[in-house]
Amino acid sequence: MKNKDSENINKAEEKNISEETKKETDEMNENDEGLSGTENKPEKKRSKAFVYAGKFFRGLCFFLILALLLPILTYMFHPKNNTVEDGMKDQNAHGFYAEPANTIDTVIIGNSEAYSSFSPLEMWHSHGMTSYVSAQGAILMSEAYYILKEILKNQTPSVVVFETDVLFPLKSDDTLRDRTLNNVMENEMPLFKYHDNWKIFKMGQFFAPIKYTWQSFSRGQMVDPSTVPLETPELRLEDGKNEEYKNGVISPYIMMYLNKFVDLCREKNIELILVTIPNTLTSSKENHEAVHKYAEEKHIPHIDFGTHPEYANIDWTMDTRDGGVHLNTFGAKKISDYLGNYIKDHYDIPDRRNNKVLAKRWNNDYKKYQGYIRYKLKALEE
Amino acid sequence: MTYTSYLYFFGFAIIVYVMYLLFPIKHRWKVLLAGSCLFSIILDGFLSLCLFVTAFSSYFCALQLTKMQDDFNSAKKGLSKDEKKELKNKVTKQKKTVVAAAVIISLGILIVLKYTNFFLGTINGISAFFRAGFEIPLVGFVLPLGISYYTLQAIGYVVDTYRGKYRAETNPAKLLLFVSFFPQMTEGPIGRYDKLMPQLEQGHRYNNEDFTAGITLIFWGLFKKLVISDRASYIATDVFSDYNKYGSFVIILAMICYTIQLYTDFSGCIDIMSGTARIFGIRLEPNFRQPFFSKSVGEFWRRWHITLGTWFKDYVFYPVSLSKPFMKLSKASQNHMSKFMASIVPSSCALFVVWLGTGLWHGADIKYVLYGLYYFLIMILGTLFEPVFVKMFSKSKIDRRGRLMNSWAVLRTLLLVNMGMTMFKANTIGDFGAIIWRSFTNFSMNDLMYGTLFERGTDRHDFVVIAIGVIIMFIVAVLKEKGRDPLKSVSTGRIYIKWPVMIGLILAVLVLGAFGPHYGVVDNIYAQF
C-alpha cells in the first residue's frame, strides 16, 4: 500500500515537473528565437526588447520600493534614547551619547575587563581629566572599532586607551569569523541590530524623535566594591585558560579590525595606548608577548600590568570581585591612578576643572560615586 | 557557514550566481562545480576529502559497471541460450562485486566516522555488564557535514547503474558536481542522478519566473527558520535539558514547540536550498508534502523527508525483499501460516531492516534505533489490527472515511508523531520516559498562571509570533493540499499580488527573524546527521 501510494505520488510529481520543464523550455526557445530573430521579423525583435526593458524596469521599481522602505523601518526600530527601555542595547557603554560635545578627552574601550578596571571619576578627581569607558562584556574587535567610530562623531578625544583582553576571546576562528561578519552587517545596517525592538516599543516610540539624554554617573565604569579573593595570592600568567584556544596568536578576524582601529586613531591624530590587565581566564605569557610585539611593530605604547605587577601593585586577595577574573573598584582605583599619571606625564591633556559648568557635574558625580561605594560596602557588611 | 548566515548569502551564493551568469552557457556547470567544491572545503576543511573519495569511487565503479554491461551485450551476440545464461551469471557476479566495492567504500567512510564510537560504546557496555574488565577508549572522529546525504546519493547512483537504469557518467567532474551540489549537500533532498544531472549540466539562462520563485522560496524558508523555528527552539532546549523543573503544561508545550521547531527548521532549510537551486534554474526533489495532514504514521513518512523514504524503499526495502533469504522466508510463511499472516510477515521483516536503517541513519545512538523501531512498531500494529478495525467499523456503522474519523486520524497521527519527536529530542531514552511520565503525572499550571512560562527564553512576544507564523503556515498548507500553491501564485501572479506578498515576506523576515546581537545561531538540526 505504502509503496503503491508513493509511486503514484512520485509519478504525479514527475509529470508536473516534466510539464513545467517543457513549458519553460518552450518559453526559452521562444526567447532564443526572439533574441536571434532574423531580419525579416524586426517588429517582433523590437517587441521582445520592449518586454525585456519592461521587465527590467519592473525589477528596478521593486528594489526601489524596498530601498525606500528599509530606511523607514530602520528609523522605526532605531533606539529613541540611549536607554534599554528605548531600545539601546548595553546602556552603560552608550552613555557617551549624552555627554556634551567635545568634552571627553580620553576614551577607554574594551570588554568587561575595561569596565571593571578603569575609573574615569578617579582620574577626574586626581587630574581633572575627562574620560569615558565604553565597554561591553565579551565585545568583538569589530564592535570596538565601530563604537570608537560612533564616539568620534561627537567627541574629539586626544587619547584612546584600548584594553587588550578583547584580542583573546575564548572562541574558535570559525565562530569569530561568523560573529565578526554578523557584527559588521549589524553596524552597517542598523535594522539588523535593532529590528527586535518591536518587542519593547510602545506605539508612540516607533516614530518618536531620536534624542540621547541618559548620562552615566560613573562614565561607563561598573562600580562594584565587593571582594572575592583569588585562591592563590599571586596571579600567575601561565594559569590562564586560553590554551585550548589560541595562545599568543591573534585571530585574523580580530587582527583585521585591530588594524582598522589603529588606523582610525592615526587618521584622527589620536594617541593610542594599549593596556593589558591580567586575569585568570585569558592571561598567558604568550598572549602578553603577542600584544607587546604588536605594539612595538606599530610603535604604540603598551602598559602591561601583567608582566609589570609593580605598576599598580594589585592585591589579588583584595582587589578582585570574582576570584581573579575582574578587578573590583579598589583594583580599578589603582589602575586608574597609574594610567592617569601616565597620560598626564606623556600627553598634553587639559585640566578641565577650570570649566565651571563641566566641573560641577563631574564633582557631583564623583560624590555620588563615593556615596555609592559606601552604600554598597555597608550593604555587603549587613 | 550555515544556510542562514550572511556569509552564505553575501559571501558565497550571490558571488556564485553572478559568476554563473557571466560564464558562457556551455560552461556554467563548471561554476556550480567550483562553488560546490569551495562550499565543501569551507564547511569541512580537509574532511571534504571524504566527499571526493566517495564521488570518485562511485564514478569508477559505475563506469566499470556500464563497461561490463556493454562488453556483455557485444559478447552475447551469436551465443547459444545456455551460453548466454552462463555468461550473464558470470557478468552479474562480477557486477555485484563492483557494486559491493563502491558501497563498501562510501558506506565504509560513513560507518567508520559516524558509528565507531557507538560500536565501541556498545562493546564497553557489554564488557562492563559481564565485568570483563576491559574498556576500549573512544575515538574523536569529526563527522563531515552532509556525509549522511551525499553517501546515500552516491550509492543510489551506483546501484541504478548496476540495475541498468542509466549509463554511467563519463565525466568525473560532472559526477563530482552531482554528489556535491551545494544547495543539497548538507541537508538533502537526496537527489537522483537521472533527474538532477541533466539539469546541472545544462546551463540555464536568467529566467524571471525562476528568479522570482527562487527568491520567494528562500524568504519563505527564512521565515520558517528564523521567525518560527529559532524562536521555538529556546523553550524546547530549556525544558528538555532540565525537565525536572517543569510541570505537565510546560512540558507538553515544549514538546509541541519542538515538533514545530524541527519541522520549520528542516523544511525551512529545504525551502531555502530549493529556492537557491531554483534561481540557478534547477528544481530539487520535493522533500515535504504537508506531513501534518497525514492520517496515519505510514502516510506521515511518505510526506516527511520524502527523499529519504524513497531512497530506503528503492535501495533497502526492494533489495532486501527480493534477496534469497527473504524469498525463502516468504515461501515458508506461505506454506505454514494463514493467508493474512503470510502477507504480513515477509514484508514486516524487510520493513524492520528499513526502520532500523532509518533510525541509525539519524544518529549513532540507541535512542535513534528505538526511534526507528517506534515507527516500525506502530505501523506493524496498525497492519495487524486492521481486520479488527474493519470489523469494528462495519459493526458500529461508523463511516471510517467520514469527516469526524478523518479528523481523528489526523489528530492521532499528530500525537504519535509528537511522541516520536520527543524521543528524538530527549537526551537519552531514560529522559524520554521521564518526560512522558511527568507530562501525565505532574499536573501544574503554575508557569502559566504566574507568567514564569515567559522566562524560559521564549517570551510572550515570541509565542505570539510563533502562533501567527504557524497559522500562516497552516493556511499555506491547506491551500497546497487543495492543489493551489500560494507560493507558486506569487511567482506567476499579477503584480498587485506578487509585490505586496514578496515585500511582506522580506520585511517579516527582517523584522521578526530571531537574529541579531541577542540571538545565538541555532544550528540546523538535520545538518548534524
Side-chain angles (χ1 to χ4, degrees), chain A residues 2-3 5-7 9 14 20 24 32 55 58 73 77 89 181-182 186 192 195-196 198-199, chain B residues 6-7 205 210 283 289 302 317-318 459 461-462 465 488 495 499 510-511 513 515 518-519:
Chain A
K2 172 189 168 188
N3 305 333
D5 270 8
S6 58
E7 266 172 24
I9 289 156
E14 264 174 39
E20 280 174 20
E24 258 174 33
D32 285 354
K55 277 183 179 173
R58 264 191 293 176
L73 281 178
F77 296 104
K89 327 272 176 197
L181 185 59
N182 287 355
E186 283 153 17
F192 289 178
H195 68 106
D196 224 24
W198 60 268
K199 277 187 173 184
Chain B
Y6 297 124
L7 184 60
R205 281 174 205 282
D210 274 343
R283 284 156 196 259
R289 216 181 48 259
R302 290 193 296 279
F317 183 78
Y318 286 153
D459 62 24
H461 298 97
D462 294 322
V465 172
K488 208 169 167 184
I495 233 169
W499 284 19
L510 286 183
V511 174
F515 63 91
H518 287 252
Y519 293 97

Side-chain angles (χ1 to χ4, degrees), chain A residues 263-281:
Chain A
D263 292 345
L264 180 61
C265 289
R266 295 229 160 113
E267 187 194 312
K268 303 275 179 184
N269 283 326
I270 299 170
E271 301 290 346
L272 176 64
I273 308 171
L274 303 182
V275 175
T276 306
I277 311 285
N279 68 73
T280 49
L281 275 185

Side-chain angles (χ1 to χ4, degrees), chain B residues 256-465:
Chain B
I256 296 169
C257 278
Y258 183 67
T259 304
I260 293 171
Q261 185 203 345
L262 188 65
Y263 173 62
T264 45
D265 178 293
F266 191 17
S267 73
C269 188
I270 292 289
D271 287 342
I272 297 170
M273 296 301 90
S274 304
T276 311
R278 184 73 191 266
I279 288 176
F280 287 95
I282 294 157
R283 284 156 196 259
L284 298 182
E285 295 282 305
N287 223 14
F288 292 95
R289 216 181 48 259
Q290 298 78 261
F292 293 107
F293 289 158
S294 310
K295 295 187 191 71
S296 69
V297 166
E299 190 189 350
F300 174 81
W301 276 93
R302 290 193 296 279
R303 287 163 167 259
W304 167 281
H305 207 174
I306 298 168
T307 52
L308 182 75
T310 49
W311 191 93
F312 269 96
K313 187 188 78 190
D314 289 348
Y315 305 109
V316 179
F317 183 78
Y318 286 153
V320 169
S321 309
L322 298 174
S323 66
K324 272 180 193 164
F326 270 79
M327 295 300 265
K328 272 184 195 166
L329 176 76
S330 176
K331 255 186 193 166
S333 46
Q334 273 168 10
N335 293 336
H336 298 99
M337 288 177 191
S338 68
K339 206 176 168 189
F340 176 65
M341 285 310 276
S343 68
I344 293 178
V345 170
S347 63
S348 305
C349 292
L351 272 179
F352 176 80
V353 179
V354 167
W355 283 103
L356 188 70
T358 308
L360 271 174
W361 177 87
H362 283 90
D365 195 304
I366 194 78
K367 174 182 94 177
Y368 293 113
V369 174
L370 293 175
Y371 171 73
L373 297 184
Y374 165 77
Y375 285 112
F376 167 73
L377 203 70
I378 293 173
M379 284 181 209
I380 293 300
L381 287 177
T383 322
L384 274 176
F385 285 101
E386 182 60 20
V388 182
F389 293 143
V390 171
K391 250 184 205 171
M392 231 169 66
F393 281 110
S394 69
K395 272 194 179 169
S396 60
K397 289 182 182 165
I398 295 174
D399 182 9
R400 203 177 175 183
R401 292 180 194 279
R403 184 169 274 193
L404 192 71
M405 285 317 290
N406 270 345
S407 310
W408 160 243
V410 170
L411 186 68
R412 182 195 58 197
T413 311
L414 204 63
L415 288 173
L416 288 170
V417 166
N418 203 31
M419 196 82 100
M421 301 288 190
T422 306
M423 191 189 294
F424 195 76
K425 170 74 175 171
N427 288 333
T428 62
I429 209 73
D431 278 2
F432 165 67
I435 287 168
I436 298 296
W437 180 250
R438 269 189 92 80
S439 69
F440 282 115
T441 56
N442 207 303
F443 185 76
S444 153
M445 295 285 276
N446 283 356
D447 277 304
L448 186 67
M449 278 152 67
Y450 300 127
T452 42
L453 167 68
F454 304 122
E455 290 163 10
R456 314 281 182 236
T458 307
D459 62 24
R460 63 187 78 221
H461 298 97
D462 294 322
F463 277 113
V464 172
V465 172

Side-chain angles (χ1 to χ4, degrees), chain A residues 11 17 44 54 59 108 125 145 158 187 220 257-258 302 324 346 348 351 356 358 363 379 381:
Chain A
K11 272 181 194 164
I17 289 175
K44 195 174 178 186
I108 302 163
H125 184 66
Y145 164 74
S158 315
N187 278 297
Y257 278 89
L258 175 63
H302 177 210
H346 291 78
D348 187 21
D351 189 334
K356 277 184 187 161
L358 194 78
N363 286 334
E381 272 172 27

